[in-house]
Amino acid sequence: MQPVLEVRGIRKEFPGVVALDGVDFRLFPGEVHALMGENGAGKSTLIKVLTGVHPVDGGEVVLAGRPVRIAGPAQARQVGISTVYQEVNLCPNLSVAENVLIGREPRRFGLIDWAAVRRRAAELVRELELDIDVGAPLSSCSIAVQQLVAIVRAVDASAKVLILDEPTSSLDRDEVRQLFTVMRRLRDQGVAILFVSHFLDQVYEICDRMTVLRNGRLEGEYLTGELNRTGLVSRMIGAELAGLDELGGGKRRERTGPDTGPDTGPDTGAVFLQADGLTRRGAVEPYDLAIRSGEVIGLAGLLGSGRTEAARLLFGADRSDGGTLRIEGAETALRGPRDAIAHGIAFCSENRRTEGLVGELTVRENIVLALQAARGWTRPLSRATQDELALRWTRALDIRPADPGTPVRNLSGGNQQKVLLARWLITDPKLLILDEPTRGIDIGAKAEIQKLVASLAEDGTAVLFVSAELEEVLRLSHRVGVLRDRRMVAQLDNDGELTPERVMAAIASGAEQ
């Protein structure tokens, strides 16, 4: 069978970086094909070459047997290549229907037929068996629903090739199942689907073949059924592994404390932060939580359960409506993040693009941002100090490329996450709040961040770890707070016997199991 899309010997360079070096890739009609590799392997660059965002410096793109030069995303859509990126890029000020059909609105007498727009959008939503109000403003929808709207929009483009870049990163299990149902239907209709995901289970569930990139080069092309998970990870990172558990396949953190309870680190019993009845109307019901120095507290729950909202109250990113907060024994009212930083609290948002990094600034400028803010702009850090700090943390966290002068927007997702972590680690926090720190990053970077969390706890830092991945939460945490419907329904000691099934039972029943 002739590939519907093929690249031959593709090369793409950026200043000081060869992102793609002689890469070959084939995508056939009626298949779901996984594009695998660590962050920085070249996956995003290859996608942007295929969609015309980046012109190639060498090689060729072949579509339906003919070499083509795709001048931009609009032309890519015209020739049948549609893309849904990891970061939702829609118009929040418009309705769901307007976002689905923007640029392709039905017209009558030269004017947009708004009734037809709503009808068509509603038809597409029904075809995908989604429960979305097409008349609602997109800004009123959750991130998960916005992701689904982007997928609906891409499907309506009658694509021959559908590229899905981390489409499940913000979806819960039911929404993932809905998406996979749609993908299988499209595959059976002959659509070629390129699927990028760091969830290995999802790749093996939905994909027929996979292509692995490493350091900008093609490592190999495989049938999914002929390459097991350990073999895949070995090819992604270029090293043999004793087993996938070493990189986060379900091995929980070992306890080193007494048998009477989870290890709480070197400062056992020292409560750094105590929340009593903390609440915000419409966001999270009153909850109690104590976090000790050297302790990792995990927050688990389904999408929309209130995990992020609970974490934001502890950083002053949102103002509480009730309850009390004690920091090192003293009752404290956080009027905003500046107060939290002054008390030694750091917060890495799940939305690193809009609430974390400043894409126009360099790696160095992003790393020193929190420290400079804490000092005040009347006491600027010298350039020599900035360079020293940036170089030290770039090396310590293995941020790639290792040039602090690189614009942070040019880094892969995993390396951007490391920059955000470096920013807060410079401030030497007493409590580090991490909201989905490993979402959308590769398995190697994920393992590095998990090891860093364990190391920080051993050194006495308190950590609040929020993640949708239960195995990850259990692997790292001494205790797990379970949220359901914006309520803290259970707090479970992770004594080595705590299982994902028990946590899920607490979520399902709304009570400690």
Side-chain angles (χ1 to χ4, degrees):
M1 185 185 299
Q2 184 183 45
V4 64
L5 181 66
E6 185 176 9
V7 299
R8 301 169 181 167
I10 287 293
R11 183 177 180 86
K12 179 62 188 176
E13 298 183 36
F14 298 103
V17 179
V18 178
L20 295 173
D21 187 6
V23 170
D24 298 328
F25 171 75
R26 302 182 302 165
L27 187 60
F28 291 91
E31 74 163 340
V32 180
H33 191 118
L35 184 61
M36 306 298 293
E38 290 191 279
N39 286 108
K43 304 188 302 295
S44 295
T45 302
L46 179 57
I47 289 173
K48 290 177 180 178
V49 165
L50 296 175
T51 55
V53 175
H54 294 323
V56 299
D57 297 318
E60 63 179 357
V61 178
V62 179
L63 185 66
R66 296 183 178 181
V68 294
R69 280 199 172 273
I70 302 174
Q75 184 184 351
R77 286 192 294 271
Q78 289 174 2
V79 298
I81 303 175
S82 291
T83 307
V84 176
Y85 290 102
Q86 175 185 349
E87 303 289 353
V88 175
N89 191 20
L90 299 175
C91 301
N93 58 312
L94 301 181
S95 69
V96 169
E98 290 170 314
N99 273 283
V100 168
L101 292 170
I102 190 169
R104 305 189 301 275
E105 300 91 344
R107 293 180 179 269
R108 187 178 184 187
F109 306 120
L111 302 175
I112 294 176
D113 186 342
W114 292 111
V117 168
R118 288 189 289 273
R119 284 196 303 272
R120 177 58 181 159
E123 289 172 5
L124 290 168
V125 167
R126 282 196 299 271
E127 288 175 8
L128 301 188
E129 300 179 1
L130 302 175
D131 184 16
I132 301 174
D133 179 5
V134 299
L138 188 70
S139 58
S140 68
C141 301
S142 66
I143 292 177
V145 171
Q146 292 185 31
Q147 181 72 66
L148 291 171
V149 171
I151 293 169
V152 172
R153 169 174 163 73
V155 169
D156 184 50
S158 300
K160 300 175 184 175
V161 173
L162 178 60
I163 301 174
L164 300 177
D165 186 4
E166 294 287 354
T168 63
S169 60
S170 297
L171 306 183
D172 63 26
R173 293 184 181 183
D174 289 338
E175 290 163 336
V176 169
R177 281 196 291 269
Q178 288 179 322
L179 173 62
F180 283 3
T181 298
V182 173
M183 290 172 62
R184 292 185 179 103
R185 185 181 303 131
L186 293 171
R187 177 191 62 188
D188 294 343
Q189 294 172 359
V191 176
I193 301 175
L194 179 59
F195 182 71
V196 181
S197 175
H198 294 302
F199 295 103
L200 298 187
D201 288 344
Q202 294 179 6
V203 168
Y204 278 90
E205 177 181 349
I206 192 67
C207 295
D208 305 298
R209 292 192 306 129
M210 61 179 71
T211 291
V212 181
L213 300 181
R214 187 170 72 242
N215 297 327
R217 295 184 175 89
L218 174 66
E219 194 287 328
E221 177 185 292
Y222 308 93
L223 290 172
T224 304
E226 295 180 353
L227 183 65
N228 62 28
R229 288 163 174 76
T230 302
L232 172 58
V233 174
S234 297
R235 285 158 177 77
M236 287 168 58
I237 68 174
E240 292 299 325
L241 302 178
L244 189 59
D245 279 350
E246 296 177 14
L247 287 180
K251 180 193 225 179
R252 290 191 299 278
R253 184 180 176 200
E254 294 180 0
R255 290 176 53 237
T256 58
D259 293 337
T260 56
D263 174 26
T264 56
D267 296 327
T268 301
V271 176
F272 172 74
L273 180 145
Q274 174 78 51
D276 294 303
L278 209 61
T279 182
R280 180 177 173 86
R281 284 188 296 273
V284 62
E285 297 294 320
Y287 70 93
D288 302 336
L289 185 66
I291 306 177
R292 294 175 172 82
S293 298
E295 183 179 34
V296 181
I297 302 293
L299 289 187
L302 302 179
L303 197 67
S305 62
R307 299 170 314 199
T308 293
E309 291 79 1
R312 287 173 63 88
L313 289 181
L314 302 181
F315 186 63
D318 294 330
R319 298 286 289 273
S320 64
D321 295 323
T324 60
L325 188 67
R326 293 182 178 274
I327 298 177
E328 295 182 303
E331 186 170 331
T332 306
L334 297 180
R335 293 169 296 178
R338 180 174 299 216
D339 286 352
I341 294 171
H343 283 90
I345 302 175
F347 176 63
C348 288
S349 168
E350 67 172 332
N351 196 340
R352 59 177 176 262
R353 180 182 176 187
T354 59
E355 294 182 347
L357 300 171
V358 183
E360 292 73 20
L361 299 184
T362 64
V363 170
R364 177 186 61 252
E365 291 165 333
N366 271 279
I367 285 177
V368 302
L369 198 57
L371 181 60
Q372 182 61 76
R375 288 168 57 93
W377 300 111
T378 59
R379 299 170 56 212
L381 292 166
S382 69
R383 178 58 181 269
T385 300
Q386 293 183 36
D387 287 341
E388 189 274 329
L389 288 170
L391 187 60
R392 183 202 312 170
W393 285 98
T394 297
R395 290 174 175 171
L397 298 183
D398 192 23
I399 297 171
R400 304 178 190 177
D403 177 10
T406 303
V408 78
R409 64 172 176 266
N410 291 348
L411 272 60
S412 65
N415 285 296
Q416 288 181 349
Q417 188 67 56
K418 291 179 184 179
V419 170
L420 195 55
L421 281 168
R423 173 194 295 171
W424 291 113
L425 293 177
I426 281 178
T427 67
D428 193 21
K430 298 177 182 178
L431 168 62
L432 179 61
I433 302 172
L434 300 175
D435 190 1
E436 297 287 1
T438 63
R439 181 173 69 89
I441 67 175
D442 67 76
I443 194 167
K446 182 179 292 189
E448 290 177 10
I449 290 173
Q450 291 174 359
K451 291 176 182 176
L452 176 63
V453 169
S455 175
L456 289 170
E458 289 172 3
D459 291 338
T461 304
V463 180
L464 183 66
F465 191 88
V466 183
S467 176
E469 297 186 50
L470 283 183
E471 289 286 0
E472 183 175 49
V473 171
L474 296 182
R475 189 177 312 117
L476 292 171
S477 304
H478 299 95
R479 287 188 294 127
V480 178
V482 182
L483 289 104
R484 169 182 163 170
D485 299 331
R486 304 189 183 280
R487 291 189 304 111
M488 184 85 73
V489 297
Q491 292 190 33
L492 308 173
D493 284 340
N494 189 7
D495 54 4
E497 302 297 325
L498 187 59
T499 64
E501 291 74 21
R502 186 178 168 197
V503 176
M504 287 301 298
I507 294 172
S509 66
E512 186 167 329
Q513 298 297 300

